[in-house]
Amino acid sequence: MRSTIEICLQEMAEHIISQKEILARERFDADLNTYSNKVDESLKEWRENLIAIFARSIFDSLEKTYRHLQAWGSEGVNLLVNLDLPLDLAIEEVRFYRNSIGEILKKESLKADLSIPEFYEIISRFDSVVDRAVHWLSVSYSNTYAARITAAELTSIELSIPIVRITEQIGILPLIGDIDTKRSQELMEKALKQGADLGLSHMIIDLSGVPIIDTMVANHIFKVIDALKLIGIQSILTGIRPEIAQTMISLGIKASGISTFASLHNAVKYLQAKI
């Protein structure tokens, strides 16, 4: 037979679950000046699921509760990210129910005439569950955002290295922005693959959109030029601004053996007359 305390805990849990819509509504009312009605409605089921997990944690094993919290954090975090809710506001959702459900536990414990040690055990267990909810929410949120940022970076790199074919044999590679190690690798791979796929004999690399050219950046560019040469594509550099040229000279960076032009227009005219 179940003990009196076990029956009491289950009754507390059932009482909280029966109040989950009201509790979710309380959060909605508290957030009228924080979220839009649309966002609050979207969060309704997510809040109710959290309340139910918190309620069942009162008598469920901690292992089972933690599994539920992990699933809740993993599944629900996509909703939060899609709604553009920052992590601190998401955590505030959890804290809100720590307080509201904590009040219910206190009132129900007084009604059941539980001893102080019994109440302390209940509230300590509940606090550990809330802490784990914050943990899983933070982990899932951070992982999801990191994955999205990585995907966005890859897309940005892909879009920032376009190769434009202007004749059967000539292509233009306009570079824009800083060139770091990750981007230089993508630059190498894309220049070689598309240059070969398009059957180009010449590629104009335009540097007018590159803000800084130092030794590292120059090395990256020259490696791409050397690799293109190995597959039969001759490279021409354009868009080297006067201040960039001065910096390159002061750093001892030499572009010997590589054709250079002040403008893309002049390079195209030169190649059209040559080919």
Side-chain angles (χ1 to χ4, degrees):
M1 292 181 63
R2 292 186 301 166
S3 65
T4 303
I5 186 66
E6 288 176 331
I7 294 173
C8 180
L9 292 177
Q10 185 165 358
E11 288 177 350
M12 284 185 186
E14 290 173 352
H15 174 69
I16 294 170
I17 291 174
S18 70
Q19 298 292 309
K20 67 179 182 180
E21 290 188 15
I22 295 174
L23 290 169
R25 184 70 194 182
E26 285 179 358
R27 181 61 179 164
F28 175 87
D29 292 337
D31 285 334
L32 287 179
N33 295 323
T34 305
Y35 308 142
S36 67
N37 288 349
K38 182 179 179 181
V39 169
D40 265 309
E41 286 299 328
S42 299
L43 289 173
K44 183 175 181 293
E45 183 178 354
W46 182 78
R47 287 167 170 163
E48 290 182 5
N49 287 339
L50 176 61
I51 294 166
I53 292 172
F54 278 175
R56 295 191 183 98
S57 73
I58 297 170
F59 67 90
D60 274 347
S61 69
L62 285 178
E63 182 181 356
K64 184 177 180 180
T65 298
Y66 291 162
R67 286 201 306 269
H68 289 159
L69 284 175
Q70 185 175 1
W72 166 82
S74 299
E75 294 171 4
V77 77
N78 286 325
L79 172 65
L80 300 176
V81 173
N82 289 335
L83 293 173
D84 290 326
L85 293 181
L87 181 58
D88 60 329
L89 286 180
I91 292 175
E92 187 59 35
E93 292 279 335
V94 178
R95 288 175 176 161
F96 178 86
Y97 291 113
R98 179 202 291 267
N99 295 333
S100 57
I101 294 176
E103 281 297 315
I104 293 175
L105 291 176
K106 182 176 73 173
K107 291 177 182 178
E108 293 300 312
S109 296
L110 288 172
K111 281 184 184 179
D113 199 24
L114 297 182
S115 67
I116 291 178
E118 288 172 331
F119 173 69
Y120 179 79
E121 183 177 346
I122 293 171
I123 207 68
S124 296
R125 178 191 177 92
F126 177 63
D127 280 342
S128 73
V129 171
V130 174
D131 290 340
R132 188 59 66 97
V134 172
H135 168 76
W136 280 116
L137 180 62
S138 301
V139 169
S140 299
Y141 193 96
S142 299
N143 289 343
T144 300
Y145 248 113
R148 291 194 175 198
I149 289 171
T150 300
E153 285 180 346
L154 292 175
T155 300
S156 176
I157 290 173
E158 179 73 16
L159 294 174
S160 67
I161 309 176
I163 295 179
V164 182
R165 184 177 189 171
I166 58 174
T167 72
E168 287 296 317
Q169 296 177 284
I170 303 171
I172 300 173
L173 174 56
L175 298 181
I176 300 173
D178 296 326
I179 299 176
D180 54 17
T181 302
K182 182 187 291 186
R183 192 173 179 216
S184 68
Q185 181 62 35
E186 182 71 19
L187 170 61
M188 175 77 79
E189 293 174 0
K190 190 166 184 179
L192 291 173
K193 184 178 186 306
Q194 292 202 16
D197 290 345
L198 294 173
L200 302 177
S201 63
H202 292 78
M203 187 176 296
I204 302 172
I205 302 176
D206 184 64
L207 304 176
S208 58
V210 179
I212 298 175
I213 296 182
D214 54 19
T215 305
M216 184 189 73
V217 172
N219 285 337
H220 289 324
I221 294 171
F222 293 154
K223 283 180 181 179
V224 172
I225 291 172
D226 289 340
L228 287 170
K229 188 175 181 180
L230 289 175
I231 62 172
I233 300 176
Q234 298 298 316
S235 301
I236 291 177
L237 293 179
T238 66
I240 300 178
R241 302 185 303 278
E243 64 273 20
I244 296 296
Q246 285 183 324
T247 301
M248 291 176 67
I249 293 300
S250 66
L251 293 173
I253 300 171
K254 298 179 180 180
S256 55
I258 303 172
S259 299
T260 60
F261 290 85
S263 69
L264 183 60
H265 173 70
N266 289 337
V268 172
K269 281 180 63 178
Y270 166 77
L271 286 178
Q272 286 179 330
K274 177 182 176 182
I275 299 175

